[in-house]
Amino acid sequence: MAVLRSKPKKYSWIGKILLVLLLATAAALFTTQHHELALQYSGLQQVSQHNQEYLQSAFERSLKTFAVLSTIKVGLSIVEGSTIGVGFGLQVGDVVQAAYDYVDIAWKTVLAGGIILLALQYLLAMAEAAAPWLLSITFALLSLTVICRWLAPHNAALGRIMHAVSAFMVVLSISMALILPLSVTGASMLSSHITAPSLNSAQGVFDTIEQDLFRDSAEEKSIWSRWNDTRERLNKVSVYLEQKTGELVTSGMMLMAAYLFDCIVFPLLLFFLLLWFTRAVTRAFLP
């Protein structure tokens, strides 16, 4: 009977020793280059590559849109201020005021969106560099938590401290290694299906207006350079912009909404959803 009673205790010790060794091995593994094989087989390297390509293409698109909007904004500001001290007798600034306001807001939105996209690239690079060390520290703390519960089961204060620190590090390391990259990947997929049509439509309108106003082609000159007389030029530009005001306002609103969702709503929503799920799982496994 004594032998039978000792077996569960013996096996319990062996299980705890194996668990400590497994956690310590994982902690040591993430301090070396061998963890890259695990990342490769798990698909995280493909996720990282996809995120880099998506953020770079989105940033380049924002730069192109920013340049087009800057050109249109300059043209609108010239027309808007043309009645000050010139005395043409035509309030050309009044007809483009609404268009200028929406273009200015869209210009600021694209500028902020480009900054956010660039910041996301830096944040992902930082997370990718820090994730292995955070995972190593997390596995080491989990190993120490098992040892403390094993060797000092009656020290409740130490157990609570180790549990709280370990749970925090689990959530932090998973956030850097998994949640942040996956939230950007999910945002890119949502963007391609939801906001990409609006962005393409708005970009087409802005490109057409810039082409008509400022870009000369071999076949036909732009409106801005077609007339030598300054008064006639401003009148023609103001008439054209008055006709395009509705398209500018609509495209500006579409552009602002698309960048708001692409740069803020989609990434943050997915990040907090995945973070909530991770915390729930962590509380279940580390009660």
Side-chain angles (χ1 to χ4, degrees), residues 62-63 65-73 97 99-117 206 252-253 255-257 259-260 263-264:
S62 69
L63 287 180
T65 307
F66 181 78
V68 172
L69 287 173
S70 297
T71 304
I72 297 175
K73 184 181 176 183
Q97 182 63 49
Y100 178 84
D101 291 340
Y102 278 96
V103 168
D104 183 59
I105 296 174
W107 181 84
K108 294 177 181 177
T109 303
V110 174
L111 176 61
I115 294 174
I116 293 174
L117 291 171
F206 291 132
M253 295 177 66
L255 191 72
M256 287 183 282
Y259 270 89
L260 176 64
C263 299
I264 298 177

Side-chain angles (χ1 to χ4, degrees), residues 229-244:
D229 182 70
T230 304
R231 178 176 179 175
E232 183 69 16
R233 180 187 302 173
L234 286 173
N235 287 342
K236 293 296 182 181
V237 170
S238 65
V239 170
Y240 175 82
L241 290 174
E242 184 178 12
Q243 297 173 351
K244 294 291 184 178

Side-chain angles (χ1 to χ4, degrees), residues 216-234:
D216 291 338
S217 61
E219 296 80 10
E220 186 179 1
K221 289 185 177 181
S222 66
I223 296 176
W224 192 260
S225 61
R226 194 177 302 167
W227 287 272
N228 294 325
D229 182 70
T230 304
R231 178 176 179 175
E232 183 69 16
R233 180 187 302 173
L234 286 173

